[in-house]
Amino acid sequence: MSLTPQWLDELRARISLSGLIGRSVRVTKAGREFKACCPFHNEKTPSFTINDEKGFYHCFGCGAHGDAIRWMTDHQGLPFMEAVKELAVQAGMEVPAPDPRAAKKAEQQKSLHDVMAAAQDFFVRSLAEERGEQARRYLASRGFPAHIVRDFGFGFAPDSRTALKEALSAFPDDMLIEAGLRIVVEGKEPYDRFRGRLMLPILDPRGRVIAFGGRILSAEKTDAPKYLNSPDTPLFDKGRTVYNLHRASPASRQSGRVVVVEGYMDVVALAAAGIVEAVAPLGTALTEHQIERLWRLVETPTLCFDGDAAGQRAAMRAITRALPLLRPGHSLRIVTLPKGMDPDDVVKAQGSAAMEALLDGARSLVDVLWEVERDAAPLTTPEDKAGLKARLLAHCETIAHPDIKSLYRRELTERFGELAFARKERAPFQPRQGNSGPRGKGQPWKPAPAPLAEQDKAKMLRIGNGPSTSLLAAVLSGLILHPTHISRHADALARLKPDDPATCALIDALLVQSDSMQALNGQALESEALRTILQKRGLRLPSAQDYAGMRFGFLASGGDSTGDELAEAVALLVELPAVEEALGHATKRHETEFSDESFAEQQRLLQRRLALLARLGQMGRARAAL
């Protein structure tokens, strides 16, 4: 049985080394690594380190060093093949079946690395020669510094069908074809794949050339693709390879981030601007394998997409690929560039600081998912809105982790509810005429004092001692008795800030229970069920003593006017503490300024407070008068 280097690399990549060692040794997190007391020699101070990103362990005391396979052979005492088989089971991989040709193929792959290295040398030489002048002019037009051209290994493929074959004559044509450097067409002679193109090598995590990308230089060649990549070969799998990973990996340890852009020229442009931890997929949407590899570097990679329609589609494809893979602490952040601009355009037009600002403002995956689906189609009819909800819930169903799935459902359903069931503005509360009790049938409303300014309403609605405390207790009792009205007043309740922590906890519990029952299941809460839930949580429910024995109409068992009465009480509850707060500030201002303006403001707020207290008294006596 022969195992290829690529298969063994994949096996190591799928194994969490710290998790594997942690089954036998107690390990602790230490920055981006793990530490433990070395299991290979006796020690009291940990000198054994585990690096999941690099996939090896090392002891600074005794020098023990190795990867997951070495751990299984040296510490667990397993033979090499037994160690590989056990790790393969953990990684969900199948061990290749015995094949007498496998050893020969593995040897050929080693030789393919030699072929690719020779091809890279040829392309670099060609760029420096006279025939590479057009490619050099293009690089100069992009403004790439000389060290960037050198570090990224830019080269040039001459516009010839046989130039590469002639330069690599030491290798048989079959190897050039297998490496993806030559193309075979039935009935014709093989020819060079890359011709008349600026060349960029694609390297594996070890820094070895495994493929190439080529950009066309002649604008007249409209029948050829602008960018051309190597095909999949024994060395190169474009769905698993991340461009520039070998450079971005050490840089990410310094910055704590990885920036994923759409193409390798975007990577080069960002590197020239000083953003060196950028990577890119290769001609495909970001795949599951690539996402997993990025998560080995940072827990939340930043995806940067162009601001056009294609960029939006790429973002959505990445989101749908990532949703089933989400796990605690691991997600994606997404940046959308200004419309019609790519990273190089942003850097050239606005400087690297502007690009950094865009990256710092990256949005969460759930935010982008919501915005893309919300804006995907008009939302003018109930059917349109129902379609949005169906799309959102369908995305949630793809998430494998149960906690993340439920949290996404909650978050997206709440946003949908705010959009689809937006509350209409209600007219300001108008107190009833006089103090003679409830308004009789046909009795007109008495004009109210000037309503409170919006800037005053936006202040903290602190509820300490006084009438507001009694009114809040009555309102909470009414909502527990009639829980179907909780969602209607959720925004108002969320603005209240009682001094009593127990009352704060009760308000939070009411909002949570109403949202979870109505938004997720479409069911209405029942009063007795709600009481049972709240009591099991150890929450204290208001009693008649808390609202001083006032008998509000909405505290009865029910009726057609219950909803309106509760709405009036909540409006009072919101406005009264705001008025009291504003009145306190106005009084202090008048004591300092003692002007006509400050006096008028103080009196306006005082009259408003008296009017609100009068209405509160009317509502509290209304039930007793019936």
Side-chain angles (χ1 to χ4, degrees), residues 213-232:
R215 188 193 190 282
I216 199 167
L217 292 172
S218 175
E220 290 76 23
K221 288 188 176 182
T222 57
D223 58 340
K226 184 177 180 180
Y227 288 97
L228 179 65
N229 290 336
S230 293
D232 284 352

Side-chain angles (χ1 to χ4, degrees), residues 234-350:
L235 299 181
F236 176 57
D237 183 340
K238 64 182 178 181
R240 295 176 181 268
T241 303
V242 179
Y243 176 72
N244 201 45
L245 188 66
H246 68 294
R247 294 187 190 91
S249 180
S252 70
R253 288 193 286 274
Q254 300 296 323
S255 65
R257 72 180 181 189
V258 168
V259 180
V260 185
V261 291
E262 292 190 54
Y264 40 70
M265 293 302 287
D266 294 327
V267 171
V268 178
L270 288 182
I275 302 173
V276 296
E277 63 275 22
V279 298
L282 291 160
T284 62
L286 201 63
T287 67
E288 293 85 351
H289 296 289
Q290 291 167 333
I291 292 172
E292 290 286 357
R293 292 213 166 184
L294 293 173
W295 277 345
R296 291 175 65 86
L297 300 183
V298 298
E299 293 184 341
T300 312
T302 300
L303 274 55
C304 185
F305 295 102
D306 296 350
D308 54 13
Q312 290 297 309
R313 290 193 298 270
M316 201 59 199
R317 285 196 298 270
I319 289 173
T320 55
R321 291 276 178 86
L323 285 173
L325 308 176
L326 295 180
R327 55 181 182 266
H330 291 74
S331 186
L332 301 174
R333 299 173 71 235
I334 298 174
V335 172
T336 302
L337 298 178
K339 191 171 183 179
M341 301 182 77
D342 60 24
D344 193 30
D345 296 328
V346 173
V347 170
K348 286 182 177 178
Q350 304 172 23

Side-chain angles (χ1 to χ4, degrees), residues 105-121:
K105 186 175 181 181
E107 188 64 30
Q108 288 176 338
Q109 288 176 341
K110 292 180 182 178
S111 299
L112 288 182
H113 283 297
D114 297 332
V115 172
M116 301 304 285
Q120 169 64 6
D121 291 340

